[in-house]
């Protein structure tokens, strides 16, 4: 009968590799490992294993402290050459140990510090405002110039139109006619010097003289009217005459400053008024005359060879061109 925990030789407890370290193991015959053996209890060495008998150790082990791990026999590995303490190896030498010393390190320049104050934002704002103001002024001037040019073109295209686009009101005063630059004279025939059978009448409607007055009874030889206008300068003028005929042509002799003209004043029935109708026979005509500067004398008269069946209403001067 075996002792509990001890089942004889070659039992599992014999596999305890550290059995020789304990008192009971040593009492059971455990010995330190031997060369060729292993930990545990004594057993056959390599080459002495008996057939059918299990090995008591499967590891070729040594006694604690006998094996030195990490060491290589001197004959197998000599290792790197020994160097003195403080001397770096060639593989790990620092750059400053190279011949000539370490290369200079590129040190980045320090950040630039602003000199004085920061950007003048107030000045920039004032400059921007000035630029905008200049642009606005330029646009305003361009628009004003364009407006002036348009107005000038409009005036050129419509010379008779006033700047205010209001229609011109014709003057009732003949002496202030807009077409007479020097206020050329205009008078009613009834106010002129009459001669022969000529006389003032008011019995025919449509006369434009003051109070509807006109010169009638002009159809007799020697009947005449004499007018003395003043002109600002010598030259050619139109001698205008408003007259009335009873649906038939008429004419009269023109005498300028005492000299009879070869061409008479033509008082043709341009309006084609019906015969005998004096009220519908009012119309106008003109003749070109050469006058002196200042006072002139113009006489219309019924002479031999004239057809003087006419009434005389008004007489006036206008430029010839």
């Amino acid at each position: 009968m075996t002792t509990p925990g001890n089942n004889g030789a070659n039992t599992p407890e014999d596999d305890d590799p550290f059995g020789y370290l304990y008192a009971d193991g040593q009492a059971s015959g455990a010995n330190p490992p031997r060369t060729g053996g292993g930990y545990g209890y004594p057993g056959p060495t390599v080459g002495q294993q008996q057939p059918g008998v299990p090995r008591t150790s499967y590891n070729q082990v040594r006694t604690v402290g006998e094996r030195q791990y990490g060491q290589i026999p001197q004959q197998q590995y000599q290792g790197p050459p020994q160097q003195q303490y403080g001397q770096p190896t060639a593989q790990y030498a620092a750059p400053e140990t190279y011949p000539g010393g370490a290369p200079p390190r590129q040190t980045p320049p320090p950040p630039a510090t602003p000199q004085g104050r920061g950007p003048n934002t107030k000045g920039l704002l004032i400059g921007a405002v000035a630029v905008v103001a200049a642009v606005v002024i330029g646009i305003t001037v361009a628009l004003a110039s364009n407006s002036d040019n348009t107005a000038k073109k409009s005036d050129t295209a419509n010379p008779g139109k006033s700047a205010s686009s209001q229609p011109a009101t014709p003057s009732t005063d003949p002496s202030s006619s807009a077409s007479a630059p020097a206020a050329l004279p205009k008078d009613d025939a009834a106010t002129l010097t009459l001669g022969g059978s000529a006389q003032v009448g008011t019995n025919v409607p449509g006369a434009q003289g003051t109070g509807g007055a006109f010169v009638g009874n002009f159809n007799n030889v020697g009947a005449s009217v004499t007018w003395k206008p003043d002109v600002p300068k010598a030259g050619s003028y139109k001698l205008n005459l408003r007259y009335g005929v009873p649906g038939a042509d008429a004419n009269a002799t023109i005498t300028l400053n005492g000299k009879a003209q070869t061409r008479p004043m033509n008082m043709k029935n341009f309006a084609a008024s019906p015969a005998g109708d004096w009220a519908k026979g009012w119309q106008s005509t003109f003749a070109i005359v050469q006058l002196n500067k200042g006072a002139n004398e113009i006489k219309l008269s019924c002479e031999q060879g004239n057809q003087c069946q006419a009434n005389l209403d008004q007489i006036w001067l206008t430029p010839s061109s």
Side-chain angles (χ1 to χ4, degrees):
M1 182 173 182
T2 60
T3 303
N6 187 357
N7 296 321
N10 297 329
T11 54
E13 59 267 21
D14 293 336
D15 288 337
D16 184 0
F18 303 103
Y20 72 95
L21 298 175
Y22 306 100
D24 55 348
Q26 295 176 1
S28 299
N31 296 315
R34 297 181 303 273
T35 302
Y39 290 111
Y41 299 98
T45 61
V46 178
Q48 297 179 355
Q49 180 66 36
Q50 297 179 6
V53 178
R55 294 178 58 181
T56 58
S57 174
Y58 296 91
N59 296 312
Q60 296 295 327
V61 297
R62 293 183 176 90
T63 306
V64 176
E66 182 180 351
R67 182 185 297 271
Q68 296 182 4
Y69 296 94
Q71 291 185 0
I72 301 176
Q74 185 69 23
Q75 65 273 12
Q76 296 180 5
Y77 177 73
Q78 299 298 327
Q82 297 294 326
Q83 298 183 7
Q84 297 180 3
Y85 178 78
Q87 295 295 326
T89 63
Q91 290 84 351
Y92 300 101
E96 55 270 16
T97 61
Y98 292 140
R105 174 179 295 181
Q106 297 295 331
T107 304
T113 57
Q115 299 294 331
R117 296 183 301 173
N120 190 355
T121 57
K122 183 177 181 180
L124 295 177
L125 179 59
I126 293 175
V129 172
V131 171
V132 173
V135 172
V136 172
I137 292 174
I139 294 174
T140 303
V141 172
L143 292 177
S145 300
N146 188 29
S147 177
D148 292 342
N149 293 335
T150 302
K152 290 179 180 179
K153 291 180 180 178
S154 177
D155 293 342
T156 303
N158 301 282
K161 190 174 182 180
S162 62
S164 60
S165 301
Q166 296 295 330
T169 303
S171 174
T172 56
D173 185 2
S175 63
S176 62
S177 175
S179 62
L184 296 177
K186 181 177 183 179
D187 290 304
D188 294 341
T191 64
L192 304 181
T193 302
L194 305 182
S197 62
Q199 59 183 10
V200 176
T202 57
N203 58 335
V204 179
Q208 296 182 357
T210 302
F214 61 91
V215 175
N217 200 21
F218 192 72
N219 59 339
N220 297 314
V221 176
S224 66
V225 295
T226 302
W227 185 39
K228 296 181 178 180
D230 285 345
V231 294
K233 62 180 181 179
S236 175
Y237 293 87
K238 284 184 179 180
L239 176 62
N240 300 278
L241 176 67
R242 188 171 190 270
Y243 65 96
V245 293
D249 296 339
N251 57 52
T253 299
I254 303 173
T255 302
L256 296 178
N257 297 317
K259 183 179 181 181
Q261 303 296 300
T262 58
R263 297 186 65 177
M265 176 65 76
N266 186 5
M267 293 183 287
K268 186 177 180 179
N269 184 20
F270 297 107
S273 59
D277 193 344
W278 289 89
K280 293 183 179 180
W282 295 110
Q283 51 203 298
S284 298
T285 188
F286 72 91
I288 301 297
V289 294
Q290 295 292 326
L291 301 178
N292 300 324
K293 181 179 179 181
N296 291 269
E297 181 180 283
I298 302 173
K299 182 174 78 169
L300 296 178
S301 61
C302 183
E303 306 294 340
Q304 292 291 338
N306 293 136
Q307 299 174 0
C308 307
Q309 190 74 11
N311 293 327
L312 308 182
D313 186 14
Q314 290 180 320
I315 189 170
W316 69 96
L317 294 173
T318 58
S320 62
S321 58

